[in-house]
């Protein structure tokens, strides 16, 4: 997994585990440490507001994975819920979707083992050099196919943004971080609310505002559809809204509306 693309999976973990501000930090993992009897840590890839991402080796299947250990403390009930979510994510087998292999817990903190993508994000890809409209559209068409595959599997992403689109060194485009994903027929929890402060995802203000009375959170405000801001039922159209905002931003260098719009 590249960059902080995996970061927002922590939002799902916060919701199901009912995390509080007093949650202890996750333990730092070291090289050669084995997690869950399966994942041997190779090195740290990056750290964000929701956890630390490591490159790890799946010793059972002899493959590299991106393992994210979240700041979210999780109890037994929360772990069971996460495993059910992982089962739903297993439906997403598509060239343009990052595969979630397993969800579990280590030392009281949730972890997610995902397909390791060596490369960057749509945002870093865009910053590498000037990109023409055709090139940008080609990338987002592939990302759109990943979203469409999720919808066909009955799942809505709920946090699509450039940072959650990975561009591998192999040229493949994959949508990542279905951390807020929920079956299309499942209504959003009544506690879901947006960060009223408008804090950037991962900022201290956003981290505080992400927590509600029930621990429920939602996606990144800049890309969210109106119904997501108000906590109403969210469907595939919310992903389409976020997709359009991200594409507009890539083409024109700014979002189609001001932050306060």
């Amino acid at each position: 997994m590249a960059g902080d693309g995996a970061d927002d999976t922590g939002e799902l973990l916060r919701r199901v585990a009912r995390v509080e501000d007093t949650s202890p930090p996750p333990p730092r993992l070291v090289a050669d440490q084995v997690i869950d009897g399966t994942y041997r840590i190779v090195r740290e890839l990056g750290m964000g507001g929701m956890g630390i991402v490591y490159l790890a080796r799946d010793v059972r299947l002899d493959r590299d994975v991106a393992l994210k250990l979240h700041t979210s403390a999780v109890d037994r009930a929360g772990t069971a819920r996460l495993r059910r979510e992982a089962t739903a994510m297993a439906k997403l087998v598509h060239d343009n979707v990052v595969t979630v292999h397993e969800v579990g817990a280590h030392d009281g903190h949730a972890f997610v083992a995902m397909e390791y993508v060596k490369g960057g994000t749509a945002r870093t890809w865009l910053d590498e050099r000037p990109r023409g409209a055709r090139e940008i559209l080609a990338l987002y068409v592939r990302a759109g196919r990943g979203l469409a595959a999720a919808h066909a599997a009955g799942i809505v992403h709920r946090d699509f943004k450039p940072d959650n689109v990975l561009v591998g060194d192999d040229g493949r485009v994959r949508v990542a971080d279905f951390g807020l994903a929920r079956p299309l027929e499942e209504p959003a929890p009544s506690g879901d609310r947006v960060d009223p402060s408008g804090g950037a995802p991962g900022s201290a203000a956003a981290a505080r505002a992400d927590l509600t009375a029930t621990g429920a959170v939602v996606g990144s405000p800049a890309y969210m559809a109106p119904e997501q801001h108000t906590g109403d039922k969210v469907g595939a159209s919310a992903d389409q809204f976020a997709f359009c905002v991200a594409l507009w931003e890539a083409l024109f260098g700014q979002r189609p509306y001001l932050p306060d719009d």
Side-chain angles (χ1 to χ4, degrees), residues 40 45 53 85 92 165 206 219 230 236 254:
R40 186 182 301 278
L45 291 175
V53 182
E85 297 280 357
L92 294 181
V165 177
T230 57
Q254 62 183 28

Side-chain angles (χ1 to χ4, degrees), residues 74-98:
V74 63
D75 57 19
R76 185 174 300 176
T79 300
R81 173 64 184 271
L82 289 170
R83 293 189 187 279
R84 292 196 296 271
E85 297 280 357
T87 299
M89 290 303 303
K91 297 179 181 179
L92 294 181
V93 180
H94 191 275
D95 280 349
N96 299 122
V97 174
V98 166

